[in-house]
Amino acid sequence: MDYSKEAICRDVPNLLSSFVDSFVDFSVSGGLFLPPASPAPDSASQTAPSLRNHKPEPSSFSQLHTWLPSPERLIAVGDLHGDLSKSKEALRLAGLIDGAGKWIGGSTTMVQIGDVLDRGGDELKILYFLEKLKREAAKDGGMIISMNGNHEIMNVEGDFRYVTKEGLEEFRVWGDWFSIGNKMKALCVGLEIPKDPFQGIPTAFRGVKEEFHSGFRARIAALHPNGPISGRFLSQNTTVLVIGESVFVHGGLLPGHVEYGLERINEEVRDWIKGLSGKFAPDYCRRSNAVVWLRKFSDESATKCDCSLLRHVLDTIPGAKRMIMGHTIQTAGINGVCNNQAIRIDVGMSKGCTNGFPEVLEFNGNSPPRILTSNPHLKKPMNSLNIDSKEGLGQLLHEQGPKQVEVKA
C-alpha cells in the first residue's frame, strides 16, 4: 500500500484542509470545536408579514437579515468589547447558555448590537463563541444575529485606536497559528496553495512600539476588507435590522438613512467587508451622524434626546414603534426615553469600559419589554424602562477608552 505524501494528499485533500482549519480554530478560540453549520433558511421566511410591501431579499443574500417577524422570545444584548466572561454572564442571565457555554435558549432570537471588538483581550474568542452558538441555536430553531458597531467598522478600516495590549497579543497568536495552518496545507500536492494574508503588509510601523509590531501586523491581516477574520465573521453581520416593531442599530438612524434604503445599507457594508468596494466604509458608516456613530437618541440625559426627530424616523419605517441602540454607555443601566421609543442597551459591561453589571433586554410574546440584570442593588426584572426621573444619574461616556493601549514609540 502506498503511504507516500503525494498519494495521501491526492486521496484526502479536502479532509486534510478541514482538519487543519479545525486545528487552527481550536488553538485560537480557546478550545472550541465548531459544530457543522446548518443550511441557510430561504429568503421568504425572512420578510415579516407586516412588511410585505418591501421586496424580499434575494436568495443570494439569505444570511443577511434586514426584516424579520417578531419571534416568541427576543433578547437584545449590548456592547461586549472583548470581555468573554461578561459576555457569557449576560447570556446566562438571559437563559441562553448553560454553565458549560452550550446553547439552551431553544427557539429564542438573540441580537447582539455590535462592538465585540476593542477595549478587551477576548475579541476573537467572542467571535468564535458566538459562531458556535449560532450553529447550536439554529439546530433548535433559534437564531443569533450579530450587528456591526463603530468598532467593527474602525477595525476593518485599520483604525486601532481602542485596541488593548491583550487584543494585539490575541491577534499575534492568531497570526502564528494561521500561518502554521497555511504551511501545513502547502505541504499537500492536492491542495491549492493558500493565499498569504500577510502579503504586502509591512513588518514595522512608524509610531508604533516595536513590541506591538507583530500584533499590529496580524490585526491588519485578519481584519482588512476580505481578511480571514473579517470575511469569515464580520461579513455576516447586519448593520440595520427590523424585527417586528423594533428597529435595531448600533448608533441610530436619521431620515436620510431610511430613504437611502435599509437593505441597501446592509448589502453595501457586507460587500465592503468582503473586499468588493475599496478600503473605506460607506459614508453612512463614518463620522458623527453615521448609523454606527450617532448619539442623538442615546444621550443619558433624557432632555437631550431628540424625540421629535426619532418619531419622524420611526414613522418612515412601516410598523416600527421603537429604536434599540448601543454605542453610548448608560451608567444607570438599560433605559428608555421618549415614551420608550428610544431604548438604550449599552451598559458598559466590559472590564475595558466601566465594568458594569451585565443586563439584557427581553421581549416575551405580547408582554411589555423587561430588563434582566445581574445588579443586586436593583429590583429587576422590571417592565418600566423609562428613566426620565433619573436624569443626571450618570455622566455620558464618549469614546475615551480607559484601557486603550499606547502603541506610539
Side-chain angles (χ1 to χ4, degrees):
M1 186 175 294
D2 186 0
Y3 288 104
S4 69
K5 179 181 70 174
E6 290 76 15
I8 294 174
C9 288
R10 184 182 63 244
D11 294 337
V12 291
N14 292 332
L15 181 61
L16 174 61
S17 179
S18 178
F19 168 79
V20 171
D21 289 340
S22 296
F23 167 75
V24 173
D25 287 347
F26 181 84
S27 303
V28 172
S29 67
L32 294 181
F33 286 111
L34 297 180
S38 300
D42 60 47
S43 60
S45 66
Q46 298 181 28
T47 305
S50 61
L51 300 169
R52 62 173 62 93
N53 292 331
H54 288 267
K55 64 179 181 180
E57 296 171 316
S59 58
S60 61
F61 300 153
S62 59
Q63 288 290 337
L64 195 65
H65 302 285
T66 302
W67 311 91
L68 288 171
S70 296
E72 183 60 29
R73 184 170 187 254
L74 172 64
I75 295 291
V77 181
D79 305 30
L80 301 178
H81 279 307
D83 191 330
L84 180 61
S85 176
K86 287 292 191 71
S87 301
K88 289 183 176 180
E89 188 176 343
L91 300 189
R92 286 194 296 269
L93 181 66
L96 299 181
I97 62 172
D98 61 17
K102 181 176 173 53
W103 176 263
I104 57 171
S107 61
T108 300
T109 294
M110 184 195 100
V111 177
Q112 196 285 312
I113 207 154
D115 278 7
V116 165
L117 299 181
D118 286 338
R119 302 188 184 278
D122 299 327
E123 300 160 277
L124 287 170
K125 291 181 180 64
I126 294 175
L127 291 176
Y128 274 100
F129 183 66
L130 290 177
E131 179 64 24
K132 178 187 84 78
L133 291 182
K134 287 177 186 179
R135 299 183 185 189
E136 292 176 349
K139 293 180 180 179
D140 287 347
M143 182 183 298
I144 295 179
I145 301 172
S146 298
M147 299 192 69
N148 287 313
N150 59 305
H151 286 267
E152 279 71 42
I153 301 300
M154 290 167 68
N155 274 268
V156 177
E157 288 187 330
D159 184 343
F160 302 152
R161 280 177 288 168
Y162 299 98
V163 68
T164 64
K165 296 178 182 179
E166 294 80 9
L168 289 176
E169 177 62 14
E170 188 185 33
F171 275 81
R172 185 199 64 76
V173 171
W174 166 84
D176 287 348
W177 282 114
F178 193 85
S179 296
I180 290 172
N182 276 359
K183 290 176 181 178
M184 293 171 67
K185 292 180 182 180
L187 293 174
C188 185
V189 175
L191 289 176
E192 180 181 352
I193 298 177
K195 179 181 178 181
D196 181 5
F198 291 90
Q199 185 175 357
I201 300 176
T203 57
F205 303 89
R206 180 178 297 179
V208 177
K209 293 181 179 180
E210 185 176 354
E211 63 186 289
F212 300 129
H213 286 178
S214 295
F216 209 83
R217 186 169 189 255
R219 199 172 182 99
I220 294 172
L223 293 172
H224 69 74
N226 201 33
I229 295 298
S230 61
R232 181 179 182 185
F233 296 112
L234 303 186
S235 68
Q236 298 182 47
N237 289 357
T238 188
T239 304
V240 184
L241 174 67
V242 182
I243 300 183
E245 299 174 340
S246 299
V247 180
F248 292 85
V249 60
H250 185 72
L253 291 177
L254 296 174
H257 299 140
V258 181
E259 183 179 355
Y260 189 79
L262 305 187
E263 295 102 333
R264 185 179 178 185
I265 288 173
N266 280 338
E267 292 163 10
E268 289 180 353
V269 174
R270 176 209 53 203
D271 289 349
W272 167 67
I273 293 175
K274 285 188 172 182
L276 301 177
S277 58
K279 178 180 179 181
F280 295 106
D283 284 344
Y284 48 76
C285 283
R286 313 183 81 215
R287 293 176 280 277
S288 60
N289 281 337
V291 295
V292 294
W293 282 99
L294 191 70
R295 299 188 192 274
K296 287 184 181 293
F297 313 128
S298 55
D299 193 309
E300 203 164 9
S301 171
T303 59
K304 293 183 179 180
C305 183
D306 193 336
C307 296
S308 176
L309 178 61
L310 175 64
R311 283 192 294 270
H312 175 66
V313 174
L314 292 175
D315 285 344
T316 64
I317 303 174
K321 291 186 177 181
R322 66 187 67 88
M323 191 179 297
I324 300 173
M325 297 154 282
H327 185 46
T328 303
I329 294 174
Q330 310 292 311
T331 57
I334 292 176
N335 63 79
V337 294
C338 303
N339 294 319
N340 292 335
Q341 289 184 313
I343 301 179
R344 297 84 68 86
I345 65 172
D346 178 11
V347 295
M349 72 176 82
S350 169
K351 290 186 291 292
C353 294
T354 61
N355 201 24
F357 290 104
E359 293 187 352
V360 301
L361 184 68
E362 178 189 51
F363 295 84
N364 209 331
N366 295 321
S367 300
R370 65 175 187 163
I371 302 163
L372 307 179
T373 183
S374 61
N375 188 341
H377 307 298
L378 297 179
K379 295 180 180 178
K380 297 177 183 177
M382 61 186 294
N383 290 333
S384 175
L385 290 168
N386 226 317
I387 64 158
D388 290 29
S389 61
K390 296 182 180 180
E391 180 182 340
L393 275 181
Q395 180 182 2
L396 176 66
L397 298 181
H398 293 281
E399 300 283 356
Q400 301 178 108
K403 294 290 186 178
Q404 181 178 342
V405 63
E406 177 59 53
V407 296
K408 293 182 179 179

